Amino acid sequence: MNALNGIQPAEGSVSPHRIRLMPEVLSNKIAAGEVVQRPAAVVKELVENALDAEATRIEVRLQDSGKARILVQDNGVGMSAEDAVMGFKRHATSKIQTVDDLERLETLGFRGEALASIAAVAQVTIRTRRRDNDIGYLVEVHGGKVVRTEPCAMSPGTFVDARNLFYNVPARRNFLKTPATELKRAVMHFQALAISRPAVSFELYHNESRMYHLPAAVSEKEDDQLQERLLGLFKRRVEGDFIRVAQSTSYLSTFGFLGAACFGSKNRRDQFLFVNGRYVHSRLLGHAIASAYEGLLQEREYPFFALFMELDTSHVDVNVHPTKMEVKFDDERGVYSFVKAVCQRAIATGGLFPTIETAGAPITLPVSDLSGRAEENRGEWRSLTDRSPKRFDELTDLLYRPEPQTLTSAPDGDSRPSEHVKDTSLLWQLHDRYVFAQVRTGLLIVDQRAARERILYERSLRSIEAGSGASQQLLFPHTVELDPADFALVQEILPELSSLGFSIDNFGGHTIVMRGIPADVRQGREHEILGDLLRQYQENRSELKIIGRDNVAKSMARHGVGKGGERLSVEAMRMLIDQLFQCKCPYESPYGRATMIKVPFEELDARFMGKV
């Protein structure tokens, strides 16, 4: 009797819903799809195994970006004949015996299915010899089937030859990118693994042409070894291009190097993060490091870094994804704050910033001075904004009202700081990014993007709380097809979006029609603002744990201001400063970046007299 519906199948028939075990060859191919997605993954798995085998010399050779052939040779401890055969069995491992071992992984190539997965989709030959054996052993596997085993003569170590990747899975082979792209990804993994072990010699060849020759570092100190390796990999860099990072606590320690701001890149390719020696990806920590460069890089530029973190393995999970490239922490907020603070301190004290060349000695404004000044100012401003019912006029009086005071009255009779400077020449702009103002006590510098973020954030939050915001209708409604996740997110936060001024209708399926956008959105951003807002919202929620209305307002502030700088008229500069001081928290952006810095006369005089 059929247990699901009580219907007895006809005699001799086979139920189409019969559950059966997959053939081993098929299950191996499916497992291979999780671990071996492209040639770079094979390079990663094989080199990690070599490092775990205590190799001090590793050579990698690729043909046709790895699609035709991948050879990895090492001088590690090697394997016995029995282990060489067993290594191709699924779930075979020498490193995990209990569940506790899985929770405290301290090796790289711990996944037993790595060799089995590679051999399931390639023609693999492995030759290996233990150091205490006189002869080695050869195992050849095609598509998951052992076709040859025999003794062989060779030096101690292991040699793996993987040919014709995905030869038996043509659909997977067709999804590979261009040879240049696949080679770039393989090189990226090679670089990361070489950085992770500076004391190991690495070589990389492509189509018989040597791309890298990296001798083992000779320095004794760990950070000096790392710098040697970085200089060997990135030939155009010199020692002065890197700044050392080192900080330890009882819970977490980190060391490594950050790159100078002038070496910002348009992509994240030159970013290397290691957790307990393992090369990983973490958007959380990538964001923490990038935020330490706030204001120092151009829009959509990314800093170079090679950063190592060490913490108890019980506090980190590397089993998030089969490739072991993603990582999660049990205290993500704490780790984020620690990494950001460490990097900010290194940047502030590392001398990575340009100086202003003058006829005499150069004048340098290090970030430590700027950030310290911002903190001092925040204390003054907070004391006023928190308790004074007339905070706007008092802020103006404290900071930059010229003598005599010049204020105009708004139509409603309220006194507003709309005329802070009598002479319009006392306001000027630098590189379309900073507004300078002559103030009563010295010089005020306003970061116009951070200021706009603060203004737009508070305005957006008020609109959401009130349930209504100004909207500008689009001349031509804009149809947007979203992926299912983004469509679901729009439905989730639609009330907040409507309060901001978005006018959105469902068009069917996962398509929406945008008929209006918030009035604060700058021209030219109409067709991309929603997508940017959704991406920022997801990033805030997953990495910064910001939720609800605050997340929507902050996401709107981050992307509603647009990208890059903007030339401002004198009136626009004055309006920006007025609007900023009318905010509840004018001294920092919603993401914690200082909006302004005050440089008093005393500091300027001291600098020119050489007393600083």
Side-chain angles (χ1 to χ4, degrees), residues 80-99:
S80 66
E82 293 79 11
D83 285 346
V85 175
M86 185 62 70
F88 287 97
K89 301 290 186 181
R90 285 195 64 198
H91 310 308
T93 177
S94 63
K95 302 157 188 174
I96 301 176
Q97 301 298 326
T98 68
V99 173

Side-chain angles (χ1 to χ4, degrees), residues 27-38 41 45 90-91 111 113 117 121 166 172 321-325:
S27 63
N28 281 347
K29 286 184 179 179
I30 293 174
E34 296 179 341
V35 179
V36 183
Q37 300 172 341
R38 52 183 21 96
E45 295 289 346
R90 285 195 64 198
H91 310 308
R111 298 188 67 87
E113 64 266 31
S117 296
V121 292
F166 302 130
R172 178 62 60 83
H321 189 274
T323 61
K324 312 186 295 294
M325 288 296 296

Side-chain angles (χ1 to χ4, degrees), residues 547-602:
I547 60 175
R549 295 175 174 181
D550 191 46
N551 191 350
V552 176
K554 286 184 176 178
S555 300
M556 183 65 195
R558 170 59 58 89
H559 289 284
V561 300
K563 306 170 184 176
E566 181 188 12
R567 181 62 56 86
L568 301 178
S569 66
V570 172
E571 290 302 319
M573 287 187 273
R574 179 184 292 112
M575 181 179 296
L576 177 72
I577 294 176
D578 286 350
Q579 291 175 344
L580 178 61
F581 281 114
Q582 291 176 28
C583 292
K584 292 181 179 179
C585 182
Y587 39 82
E588 64 182 16
S589 80
Y591 289 89
R593 174 179 169 183
T595 59
M596 63 184 86
I597 294 171
K598 185 179 68 175
V599 184
F601 283 126
E602 293 81 5

Side-chain angles (χ1 to χ4, degrees), residues 354-600:
T355 59
I356 304 172
E357 294 295 338
T358 65
I363 299 175
T364 305
L365 295 178
V367 171
S368 56
D369 283 6
L370 301 183
S371 59
R373 187 76 59 238
E375 288 300 324
E376 293 171 10
N377 291 340
R378 288 178 192 179
E380 300 174 24
W381 301 328
R382 184 177 291 111
S383 65
L384 287 171
T385 57
D386 286 347
R387 68 170 182 252
S388 173
K390 297 181 179 180
R391 59 183 179 276
F392 309 142
D393 297 334
E394 294 189 25
L395 282 168
T396 302
D397 182 69
L398 172 68
L399 286 174
Y400 63 95
R401 186 182 63 225
E403 298 294 347
Q405 176 180 3
T406 306
L407 292 176
T408 61
S409 295
D412 59 5
D414 290 341
S415 179
R416 298 176 184 271
S418 57
E419 288 284 351
H420 302 302
V421 183
K422 292 171 60 178
D423 186 348
T424 57
S425 67
L426 301 181
L427 282 171
W428 71 100
Q429 191 180 24
L430 177 67
H431 294 310
D432 298 343
R433 294 178 59 190
Y434 299 100
V435 174
F436 284 65
Q438 174 180 316
V439 298
R440 185 166 58 87
T441 58
L443 175 67
L444 182 74
I445 308 172
V446 176
D447 182 324
Q448 63 191 53
R449 179 178 176 83
R452 276 203 176 108
E453 283 188 1
R454 166 52 60 180
I455 295 165
L456 185 52
Y457 166 70
E458 294 198 10
R459 189 176 297 165
S460 298
L461 201 57
R462 288 195 299 270
S463 296
I464 294 173
E465 292 171 348
S468 63
S471 177
Q472 52 179 318
Q473 297 301 300
L474 299 177
L475 182 61
F476 300 102
H478 185 47
T479 302
V480 182
E481 183 175 357
L482 302 170
D483 63 39
D486 282 347
F487 183 81
L489 180 57
V490 168
Q491 303 308 309
E492 176 187 335
I493 62 174
L494 188 58
E496 288 82 6
L497 293 176
S498 298
S499 297
L500 287 176
F502 284 98
S503 177
I504 297 174
D505 295 328
N506 289 339
F507 190 72
H510 296 136
T511 302
I512 62 172
V513 177
M514 290 178 56
R515 304 187 185 278
I517 59 175
D520 290 315
V521 174
R522 290 166 60 180
Q523 292 185 356
R525 300 274 295 137
E526 297 87 353
H527 301 307
E528 57 186 23
I529 179 61
L530 180 62
D532 287 346
L533 187 152
L534 294 177
R535 284 190 290 274
Q536 187 67 49
Y537 183 94
Q538 292 169 328
E539 182 177 319
N540 288 347
R541 182 166 62 180
S542 63
E543 298 184 0
L544 304 181
K545 309 305 180 186
I546 304 173
I547 60 175
R549 295 175 174 181
D550 191 46
N551 191 350
V552 176
K554 286 184 176 178
S555 300
M556 183 65 195
R558 170 59 58 89
H559 289 284
V561 300
K563 306 170 184 176
E566 181 188 12
R567 181 62 56 86
L568 301 178
S569 66
V570 172
E571 290 302 319
M573 287 187 273
R574 179 184 292 112
M575 181 179 296
L576 177 72
I577 294 176
D578 286 350
Q579 291 175 344
L580 178 61
F581 281 114
Q582 291 176 28
C583 292
K584 292 181 179 179
C585 182
Y587 39 82
E588 64 182 16
S589 80
Y591 289 89
R593 174 179 169 183
T595 59
M596 63 184 86
I597 294 171
K598 185 179 68 175
V599 184

Side-chain angles (χ1 to χ4, degrees), residues 341-360:
V342 168
C343 291
Q344 283 179 323
R345 185 179 301 111
I347 290 170
T349 59
L352 289 181
F353 307 101
T355 59
I356 304 172
E357 294 295 338
T358 65

Side-chain angles (χ1 to χ4, degrees), residues 41-63:
V42 178
V43 172
K44 171 182 176 293
E45 295 289 346
L46 296 181
V47 174
E48 284 183 344
N49 281 340
L51 291 172
D52 279 342
E54 303 174 10
T56 60
R57 186 177 66 253
I58 298 175
E59 181 180 299
V60 180
R61 292 180 178 267
L62 307 176
Q63 290 183 6

